[in-house]
Amino acid sequence: MSPIPKKILCIGAGYVGGPTMAVIAAQCPQYKVTVVDINAARIKAWQTDDLPIYEPGLSDVVKKARDRNLFFSTDIEGNIKEADIIFVSVNTPTKTFGEGAGKSADLQYWEKTARDILKTSESDKIIVEKSTLPVRTAAALERILHPNDKGIHFDIVSNPEFLAEGTAINDLLNPDRVLIGSRESARGKKARQEIVDIYTNWVPRDRIVTSNIWSSELSKLVANAFLAQRISSINSISALCEQTEANITEVSYAIGRDSRIGARFLNASVGFGGSCFKKDILNLVYIAESYGLYEVAEYWEQVVKMNEYQERRFVRSMLKALFNTVAGKKIALFGFAFKANTGDTRESPAIFITRRLFEEKANIVISDPQALDNARMDLDDIVDRISFEADPYKAAEGAHAIAILTEWSDYKSLDYQRLYNSMHKPAFLFDGRNIIDRDNLFKIGFNVYSIGNPPRTHFEEP
Ligand code: NAD
Ligand code: UGA
């Protein structure tokens, strides 16, 4: 292997592989960066201006490097052969079958990639775990790759990704930290240093944290578990606020001013979504259980249970407010993405909420600036019996209620008087993200139900 590796390959061109490699290529013109995937349609889209994922700032970064030192390809074998460093960022979803179903990580895509690497390689390589993986996956990977009859050595490095969707480019350009773990052997440390050297092209050295490989693997799961735990904690308190006339925004602010607690990630909501929080916590639960640490498992599982409770609670409060029936009533859902500034709908609370309202025979219209295509796929079994409308004003015409499910900033500045005028009366607004001015909407005439606040209604609560 050359002392300064020049060819970086990433296997998996998804929400992580695509943006991460685009940033590495844009920041490091001295490397040739190639991203491969088995999904040919995805690769084709990366080669056009119509990128396969929506992410603010992404297209500028891709345009800067594409066809200069950033390439997208379906030739997995050829690119494995050439590469000095291989990042693996394939999906690691929750297993849906067999042992560990519903909790443990499904590592079939990961293992397939490892076997492709072993089969095709002709020279030593550094393999970088970019996907989120159970702690001690590197040991399994070493067992697959070593020893081999080709005399090739693979060094394994863990470099989990902490980007959040919607802010991915900024997170990658200005990360709080980059974590790089390896074996503590001389070889392991040398491989780790090669990955450090990539990031020091734009990340200050004191933001690059190095550790042993197990700490790195485990830290990724723990970071997501801690973040999700904050949301479940504040959501649990939102239920209490609604009963006691405390205001969740004021409570979040008051506790967040304590520098030990910190102000961020304390927004009460309809629940957290996204492809990772639930999957990673359940994976942590499964790992704890597999070591016989049942109290640890139960502690973390409660974070997911609280999230499910919050989703159910939101629908229940809609039903109760709408006189215990939504059958035949038009309900406009504002937002389907799991958070603002993304078209991603994986594990979005909107999926559960839509399905529950559909069961109750509501006449549902879904509006979202970016996520309607994904929403149609998520609801493919009932897609013909639901309406989709990008324009929120049209979506709300004749509706009995609006429910804000995603915190798109557009929804803060809508003309709510106009919306109210076009709606069925009494008109209801359920703010699952606490983004609208309750007093103002109440004055317009809405009956307002915001997460973590007592209702503002024009009639006595039943
Ligand atoms: P994704 O599903 O968007 O992308 C994964 C890609 O891997 C897919 O395009 C798939 O076709 C490809 N793939 C699967 N098997 C392959 C194979 N054998 N050869 C080539 N390509 C293959 O997933 P993602 O959201 O990018 O997440 C990837 C990993 O990163 C997961 O482990 C996830 O937990 C982690 N992660 C995700 C995020 C996020 O914001 N989405 C953030 C941090 C970490
Ligand atoms: C999250 C983490 O923030 C990333 O660090 C991590 O890399 C990533 O998971 C991952 O491993 O996939 P992401 O899921 O993209 O990123 O988005 P977040 O901003 O964390 O939001 C997750 C969910 O929590 C969203 O549904 C969001 O609306 C919700 N949320 C977030 C709240 O309800 N309240 C908050 O205060 C913050």
Side-chain angles (χ1 to χ4, degrees), residues 11-17 36-39 42 76 89-92 109 112-113 116 130-133 161-165 220 275-276 279-280 344 346:
I11 303 182
Y15 285 85
V16 167
V36 293
D37 204 293
I38 40 170
N39 183 337
R42 224 172 198 187
I76 299 177
S89 75
V90 298
N91 36 329
T92 52
Y109 309 103
K112 160 96 175 53
T113 310
D116 284 349
K130 191 46 126 176
S131 302
T132 302
L133 296 159
E161 185 48 61
F162 295 104
L163 69 78
E165 288 177 33
K220 173 63 200 178
S275 60
C276 294
K279 130 178 125 61
D280 293 347
D344 194 352
R346 290 178 291 180

Side-chain angles (χ1 to χ4, degrees), residues 16 30 125-126 194 216 240-241 313 375 417:
V16 167
Q30 70 273 32
K125 295 178 198 306
I126 296 174
E194 294 207 28
S216 176
L240 203 49
C241 286
R313 206 170 72 74
Q417 182 69 60

Side-chain angles (χ1 to χ4, degrees), residues 231-239 267-269 271-272 307 310 313:
I231 303 168
S232 279
S233 296
I234 205 69
N235 281 344
S236 74
I237 300 304
S238 74
N267 295 323
S269 65
F272 59 75
N307 199 50
Q310 188 75 347
R313 206 170 72 74

